[in-house]
Amino acid sequence: MNWRAVITWLGWISIMAVATVVMFQIRATIDQVHVVLVYLLIVLGASATSGRLLAISLACTGYLLIDYYFQRPYGSLINDKPVDLMALAAFLVTAIVATNLLVRAQTQAEEAKRRAIEIGSLARLGSETLSIGRAEDALARIATVIGTTLGMEDCSIVAWNADTGFGASARSRASDNPAIADPLTRTVVEQPGWTWVRPSGAMVRVVPGDSRERPPAPADEIKKLLIPLSVQNRVVGVLRLEAVTPVRLAAAQRRFLEAITFYAALAVDRVRLVAEAEHAEALREADRLKDIVLASVSHDLRTPLTTIKALAQSEAMQGNKSAGAIEEQADRLTRLVSDLLDLSRLKGGGFAVTPELNTAEDLIGAAVRQTRGLFADRALRTVIDLDSPALIGRFDFSQSLRVLCNLLENAVRYSRGKPVELAACREGDMLVFNVSDFGPGVREEDLARIFEPFFRTSNSAPDTGRAGLGLSIARTLADMQGGSVRYNPRVGGGSVFSLRLPATELGADALEQTADGHS
């Protein structure tokens, strides 16, 4: 019991004593009912200011005082009159019932007031955060509302990412950021649980799964409180509350704290998502600008390259021995420029494909003829699975030919002078063209990026004459036709790149018409 309560008790006891003395002096002129009303008012006043215990104590005391001083025979607690005893009992019961009703009404009023404060805080939090455009400002406003509602001088919300560690913090007051990476905060994110520090410095920690996993009890004085913020069982931050003067959290404040941690966690996650979205938008814009620059530069390079090649051919006719090398390098640059232009057109949607009925034999024959010059000093073996159903599909012949020739050229560069194999078969509803080589293959760390533009594997030759666009263009052209380009390691070493195109079923007459169309 604190000093304020002691003083209140002494005050009401003094009031009852003074009232008793005054009424005793005029006992002959007043009736017993007046005494009862005076004591009843004192009891109700005591219950309104100090609660049930003092009021009931005063009621019992009043019962004894009335019986001893204001009922005949005076000066004795023995009363043989049933009516007088009934009146005393009625006074005592009335005082106790009135006290209980008054205390209950006060408790309900205080609870309603606390609920109103809690709802008002949440409503203010919702309206303020919704009216703020930037996620960081909304997070700072949440910290301010929490600190104000709980009576804490300092409230910080610290972001946490399992990959990058602690991030920026939002704080309820303008000052230097706290030591957000201190051991206590790190312990909360690594082993989530409520943690608070008492004025003595003793730390109380409740781990997840504990039946006592609740905020500090109302009787607990706290100086610092740390709560993990979680979204979908993933810790995204820590709520740090610090008080200069130790505080106790009422039941309504603890309920508010339990509810607000969820909104604080969502706000932290929103900051992360906004940052990731802004980063992704910046990357998209950079990629768009890169495509514009590449397309512009590539287009402008075509004319001077054509002029250089023409001059090189003219010099070669006059016997200049360096002209061949110049023409070769001009052709190399022309291929690079062509690939850059095609990549830009593919990304911009300016490339069209026209799927038609075609046979695998026709596509393979055209690819062999077009790449004949690449296989002057090595073998190209072609294998067609004659046991499969008719190798007929619906695809764009010219674009598919370009993809297949691209894969063959890629195989030649990495085959180390060994043969290259081109095979065709039917797998379900797809035609599969496999280009196999005996090269070094693709390392595991490069598998996820081999189809990205401008990417060259870590084991590629220093100068292969390409810019790393071929596989990216090939996959895009295949995807546009409902097909795909895939990579698999070859048994015994090397690579197998597969072009998969939609197959179709045809009768004999339609098959003959298709063959006539490509004859």
Side-chain angles (χ1 to χ4, degrees), residues 134-443:
R134 295 180 68 250
E136 294 83 355
D137 295 339
L139 190 62
R141 191 61 59 89
I142 290 176
T144 301
V145 172
I146 295 175
T148 303
T149 304
L150 300 181
M152 297 289 213
E153 286 81 6
D154 190 13
C155 175
S156 302
I157 300 176
V158 186
W160 164 262
N161 187 294
D163 297 325
T164 60
F166 288 105
S169 64
R171 205 170 184 189
S172 60
R173 63 180 184 180
S175 61
D176 295 336
N177 284 335
I180 59 176
D182 62 6
L184 184 58
T185 306
R186 186 170 294 278
T187 301
V188 172
V189 299
E190 293 176 351
Q191 301 176 2
W194 293 81
T195 301
W196 62 93
V197 179
R198 292 194 173 113
S200 62
M203 184 179 71
V204 180
R205 179 169 175 76
V206 183
V207 299
D210 194 316
S211 59
R212 299 177 295 105
E213 186 183 355
R214 305 285 293 174
D220 285 338
E221 279 194 339
I222 61 174
K223 193 171 182 63
K224 182 184 297 185
L225 176 62
L226 292 92
I227 305 171
L229 304 176
S230 302
V231 175
Q232 297 179 345
N233 298 322
R234 174 173 51 86
V235 176
V236 298
V238 177
L239 174 63
R240 297 165 49 101
L241 294 164
E242 297 185 37
V244 176
T245 303
V247 299
R248 288 187 175 93
L249 297 180
Q253 291 176 315
R254 291 186 293 123
R255 286 195 303 270
F256 171 79
L257 188 60
E258 290 180 300
I260 204 63
T261 52
F262 174 72
Y263 293 101
L266 292 181
V268 172
D269 210 34
R270 178 192 170 198
V271 172
R272 178 186 64 82
L273 293 175
V274 168
E276 290 180 356
E278 291 176 348
H279 180 65
E281 181 61 30
L283 291 178
R284 283 193 295 270
E285 180 64 16
D287 190 60
R288 186 185 68 84
L289 294 175
K290 180 194 69 177
D291 291 340
I292 294 175
V293 172
L294 288 177
S296 176
V297 171
S298 301
H299 185 272
D300 291 341
L301 283 175
R302 275 193 163 183
T303 300
L305 286 174
T306 303
T307 304
I308 292 172
K309 185 172 181 178
L311 292 174
Q313 291 174 344
S314 177
E315 289 293 320
M317 294 175 62
Q318 297 178 14
N320 190 333
K321 296 180 180 181
S322 301
I326 295 174
E327 185 176 357
E328 181 182 348
Q329 294 302 317
D331 289 338
R332 175 182 173 182
L333 288 175
T334 301
R335 288 196 303 269
L336 294 177
V337 169
S338 179
D339 285 345
L340 289 172
L341 281 174
D342 288 344
L343 182 65
S344 299
R345 291 172 60 195
L346 286 170
K347 287 190 172 184
F351 229 103
V353 294
T354 307
E356 296 177 340
L357 293 177
N358 295 287
T359 65
E361 291 87 345
D362 289 339
L363 183 60
I364 289 178
V368 170
R369 290 192 298 271
Q370 188 162 324
T371 59
R372 185 177 293 117
L374 296 174
F375 293 92
D377 57 347
R378 71 195 73 188
L380 172 61
R381 293 198 296 260
T382 58
V383 179
I384 299 178
D385 187 0
L386 300 178
D387 295 331
S388 296
L391 301 181
I392 301 172
R394 185 175 293 276
F395 51 87
D396 187 303
F397 190 86
S398 62
Q399 301 300 348
S400 300
L401 176 61
R402 179 177 181 182
V403 173
L404 198 56
C405 291
N406 195 315
L407 297 180
L408 288 170
E409 182 181 353
N410 190 68
V412 169
R413 290 203 305 272
Y414 292 96
S415 64
R416 298 176 176 177
K418 297 181 180 180
V420 174
E421 182 180 279
L422 172 59
C425 64
R426 174 80 175 266
E427 293 183 4
D429 58 351
M430 302 296 287
L431 293 180
V432 182
F433 301 86
N434 292 320
V435 178
S436 306
D437 64 63
F438 293 85
V442 179
R443 295 181 180 179

